Every structure is written in structure tokens, then in C-alpha cells.
Amino acid sequence: MKENYAKSTYVIKDMETLRAIADPLRTQILELLVKEPRTVKQVGKKLGLAPGKLYYHFNTLEKYGMIEVAETRQIANMLEKLYRATATEIDLDPSLLSFATDQGKESIHTLLTSSID
């Protein structure tokens, strides 16, 4: 099931969202969901991971509006959800990289520290 997405950009405007997307596994999930809607099970198969290890990451991405449910369907007694990325690109609000204030310096320090960890 291929869908054409209009080219759109998700702009990260706060450090909490930036931390959420900084996780390499979440980035991989997003890359797969930009291509076509998939279930958690389908993503798990592509990544070689059990679906149970992915639900937390899907919930986080959905919480921040980076993915959404594209379709739900009834399979036997279960409701299956197909997820898709809400945008084809991610950009960073330049104000997050401001060095002029103490808050800006702290934001950069937090970003770099979490990326290194």
C-alpha cells in the first residue's frame, strides 16, 4: 500500500521534542513510515526487533505529532493500526540553537550531552 505524501516539514520547536527524535531507533521508525504506512509488527520485522520493544517508541512519536494512525482495520479479534509519518522532513527551529542567553547555552549543552550519551 504505497501513498504519495505531499512534501511537508515538521519543525521541532522545543528541547523535549528534540530529545524524543534524537533516539536513533525513533529516527529509523520515522524513515520507514515516510515511505509507506506500516504496522508496528511490519516495522519490527524490517528492523529485526520484536514489536513489543517498539510500542513505547511509537507512542512517543505519536505524542509529539511525528506519526499518526493512517488506518485501522479489524484482524480477527484485534484492531490493527497502520501508522505513517506526518511529514517528509524534519527541521529545527533556529531559536533552539541560540547562544545569546543562558537558556540557549543550557539548551545546546543538554542537546550535545544527550546526543553523546
Side-chain angles (χ1 to χ4, degrees), residues 21-41:
I21 192 57
D23 185 296
L25 180 55
R26 292 188 194 129
T27 303
Q28 289 178 315
I29 292 169
L30 273 174
E31 287 173 4
L32 289 172
L33 297 179
V34 163
K35 295 175 184 173
E36 67 182 275
R38 299 173 193 260
T39 64
V40 174
K41 186 177 178 180

Side-chain angles (χ1 to χ4, degrees), residues 33-87:
L33 297 179
V34 163
K35 295 175 184 173
E36 67 182 275
R38 299 173 193 260
T39 64
V40 174
K41 186 177 178 180
Q42 290 169 331
V43 170
K45 187 174 181 179
K46 284 276 191 189
L47 298 176
L49 297 169
K53 295 192 180 278
L54 297 176
Y55 285 108
Y56 172 79
H57 298 286
F58 270 73
N59 289 335
T60 300
L61 291 169
E62 190 174 21
K63 173 184 172 185
Y64 289 102
M66 292 180 206
I67 65 171
E68 64 188 4
V69 176
E71 180 185 340
T72 57
R73 54 188 176 200
Q74 191 75 31
I75 307 291
N77 288 338
M78 294 178 49
L79 190 62
E80 183 178 66
K81 295 180 182 179
L82 278 89
Y83 293 88
R84 69 172 162 226
T86 57

